[in-house]
Amino acid sequence: MLLEPLPVVEAVAVFGVGHVGLELARILARHHLDLHLIDTRPDMLTDERLGVLGDAVAQIRVHHTPLLPEEVLAELPPGAHVLIMTHDHAEDAALCDAALRTAGLGSIGLIGSSAKWARFRQRLAAEGGHAPAAIDRIKTPIGIPGITGKEPAAFAVSVAADLLRTFEQDRRWSVPDPAAAVAHAPAAEPVAGTTVGTALGNR
C-alpha cells in the first residue's frame, strides 16, 4: 500500500471587500486557496463587482453578513488566516475580539494606523479581558515593511506577499526534518549475546 500525503489547501478570510479588499482578492484568487470574502454591505458583493474574479483558481466563498460578520469565524476551516479590513472601526474591533476568542485560526491581520491599534489594544485588554500575549497574535500593520505605497493595488500586493510568506513558514514548521527524525530515533536494541557494533559488522 502506498500512502501519499495530500497537499493542504490554505484558507484565507478577507473581512471587508472594499477597494483594498477587492484588489487583494484578485491576487489571492490566482492561487489554490479556499478564499472567503465577507462584507456587511451587499453592494460590495454583487456579481458585477466580483466579476473580476471570474477566472479564479481559488475556491471563492462569498458571505453577506449584514449584522454579525464575526459569526463567519466559527465557519472557517481550521488554520484559516484572517485579514480584517472593513470600512468601520467598530466592526474591526468586534472582529479582533471575536478572532481572539475563536480557537484554531491561523494568523490574524488588521489594517490600520498605529494610533488605531493603540486604541484597539487598550480595548481588547480592558473590555475584552485578553492577555497581552493573546493580543500580540494580531499583526498590524499588515504587509511587507518597506512597501509604502498607499494605492489599493500596491497595498494589496504587499499584503498578499506577506501572507504567502506566512504560508511558506507554516509549511516549514509542518514538514518534519528527516535528519531530526533520525537524530531522535530510539537506539536499536543489541542482538542477544553481541554488542551493537558486532551485530552491525556481521550483516
Side-chain angles (χ1 to χ4, degrees), residues 26-46:
R26 292 178 68 179
I27 298 170
L28 295 179
R30 293 175 170 82
H31 300 267
H32 288 282
L33 298 173
D34 184 11
L35 181 58
H36 297 254
L37 304 178
I38 307 100
D39 208 297
T40 58
R41 302 163 292 174
D43 54 320
M44 295 292 104
L45 301 174
T46 62

Side-chain angles (χ1 to χ4, degrees), residues 12-202:
V12 180
V14 179
F15 286 84
V17 194
H19 296 306
V20 175
L22 184 59
E23 290 292 343
L24 178 60
R26 292 178 68 179
I27 298 170
L28 295 179
R30 293 175 170 82
H31 300 267
H32 288 282
L33 298 173
D34 184 11
L35 181 58
H36 297 254
L37 304 178
I38 307 100
D39 208 297
T40 58
R41 302 163 292 174
D43 54 320
M44 295 292 104
L45 301 174
T46 62
D47 291 341
E48 180 180 4
R49 190 165 186 271
L50 299 183
V52 295
L53 307 178
D55 61 348
V57 174
Q59 175 68 49
I60 298 178
R61 308 175 195 275
V62 177
H63 306 259
H64 175 224
T65 53
L67 294 177
L68 298 171
E70 57 268 29
E71 290 184 346
V72 175
L73 290 166
E75 303 173 15
L76 298 175
H81 300 271
V82 173
L83 292 167
I84 300 170
M85 48 179 61
T86 81
H87 65 295
D88 183 82
H89 281 203
E91 194 171 308
D92 284 351
L95 284 165
C96 286
D97 176 67
L100 292 179
R101 299 180 190 280
T102 303
L105 293 179
S107 63
I108 306 170
L110 170 69
I111 193 172
S113 65
S114 57
K116 172 183 175 179
W117 179 231
R119 294 193 302 271
F120 276 29
R121 281 195 71 98
Q122 184 177 17
R123 289 186 59 186
L124 289 169
E127 300 174 25
H130 297 287
I135 298 173
D136 286 342
R137 288 190 58 212
I138 299 176
K139 179 180 180 180
T140 187
I142 50 177
I144 298 291
I147 300 180
T148 58
K150 300 301 181 184
E151 301 83 1
F155 189 74
V157 167
S158 174
V159 173
D162 195 22
L163 187 60
L164 292 175
R165 182 169 61 182
T166 298
F167 293 167
E168 291 298 327
Q169 291 171 345
D170 287 351
R171 291 190 189 105
R172 292 194 193 102
W173 280 106
S174 63
V175 175
D177 182 355
V182 171
H184 291 88
E189 291 289 338
V191 177
T194 70
T195 65
V196 173
T198 303
L200 293 175
N202 290 335

